[in-house]
Amino acid sequence: MIDHVHDLASVREATDRLLTAAAKLDDAALAAPSRLPGWTRGHVLAHLARNADALVNVLQGRPMYVSAEARDADIERDATRPLAVQLDDVRESAARFRAAGEAPADWDRVVELRNGVTDRAARLPFRRLVEVELHHVDLDAGYELEDLPEEFTEREIAFLADRFAGHPTVPPTRLLAAGSEWRTGGDEGPAVTVSGPAPDLLGWLAGRRDGAALEVTGGPLPVLPPL
């Protein structure tokens, strides 16, 4: 059951954690590489701010971004700003998203995101939570996948398992972690079981870890398509 009110509260808590951690950086640290190839920490913060505004657009019935090119250009434009400006932008854009999420709305309506992807409006707060939590890890500022709330980790594993379900290049795959089980992949080929600690399983599914800490039976570790 999706509870957008609960998820909006979780977004606020996660944003506060991220802002507290980012405030300990300085301008030089902001210009250093993040864990995302080709992005500095400044790129990560700029993306988080612009993503909040993009989700406001979705909630209010506008296109998420004007174009993919405009999205990328906005991130590049904002990536080199001083830390104080970045923090204010993340904080203020988060407040705009929160206000949009608290406005009366039909949360069962279908909305459109990037690249023609559609979803229920009620799932947007969780999608924002994913952005905040995983990009906090990407900042490489002391917050690891093991620090993520357990509820979030299990929900994101389930979300990503659903995303890869039916994908023809992924074999039928059983995912096991912390006593929970998920299924993903297509219907062709031998079934594979991937098991291990939930943070490592999430890291592999989300493209943040290579899966070396996972146990695989029935075949090699599946190669996942890009997110």
Side-chain angles (χ1 to χ4, degrees):
M1 178 71 69
I2 296 295
D3 182 348
H4 71 276
V5 175
H6 169 78
D7 288 344
L8 284 168
S10 296
V11 170
R12 184 169 191 168
E13 293 168 1
T15 302
D16 287 345
R17 285 195 295 271
L18 181 142
L19 286 168
T20 297
K24 297 175 183 178
L25 303 173
D26 56 26
D27 289 346
L30 206 61
S34 73
R35 291 180 177 174
L36 292 177
W39 271 16
T40 65
R41 292 187 177 106
H43 283 89
V44 174
L45 293 181
H47 165 64
L48 281 169
R50 300 290 68 77
N51 173 264
D53 285 336
L55 290 175
V56 170
N57 287 338
V58 174
L59 286 171
Q60 296 180 348
R62 296 185 295 274
M64 187 169 183
Y65 295 101
V66 174
S67 66
E69 295 77 14
R71 169 189 176 273
D72 294 345
D74 286 348
I75 294 171
E76 287 296 332
R77 178 197 66 205
D78 294 343
T80 58
R81 298 173 302 175
L83 177 64
V85 177
Q86 295 270 30
L87 295 177
D88 285 345
D89 194 15
V90 172
R91 187 179 298 109
E92 292 165 7
S93 60
R96 291 190 289 270
F97 174 74
R98 184 167 61 251
E102 291 172 349
D106 174 13
W107 287 97
D108 286 326
R109 72 192 188 280
V110 175
V111 295
E112 184 172 341
L113 294 100
R114 296 179 64 199
N115 304 320
V117 173
T118 59
D119 205 346
R120 286 177 55 214
R123 289 175 67 92
L124 292 187
F126 182 71
R127 284 180 174 270
R128 175 59 182 175
L129 182 60
V130 172
E131 294 286 329
V132 176
E133 289 285 30
L134 292 186
H135 286 316
H136 189 169
V137 175
D138 294 334
L139 276 179
D140 195 18
Y143 192 68
E144 302 295 340
L145 292 170
E146 286 76 10
D147 298 316
L148 294 168
E150 182 177 333
E151 177 196 6
F152 169 81
T153 297
E154 294 204 358
R155 287 181 65 189
E156 179 62 355
I157 290 173
F159 179 84
L160 292 171
D162 184 64
R163 180 166 182 165
F164 297 131
H167 199 285
T169 68
V170 180
T173 303
R174 181 180 179 219
L175 306 171
L176 300 175
S180 297
E181 177 177 337
W182 304 266
R183 301 279 179 159
T184 193
D187 300 319
E188 301 295 328
V192 175
T193 297
V194 180
S195 60
D200 284 307
L201 186 60
L202 172 58
W204 171 63
L205 290 168
R208 266 69 179 182
R209 291 186 181 171
D210 63 8
L214 300 171
E215 181 179 345
V216 188
T217 59
L221 183 69
V223 176
L224 299 175
L227 290 173

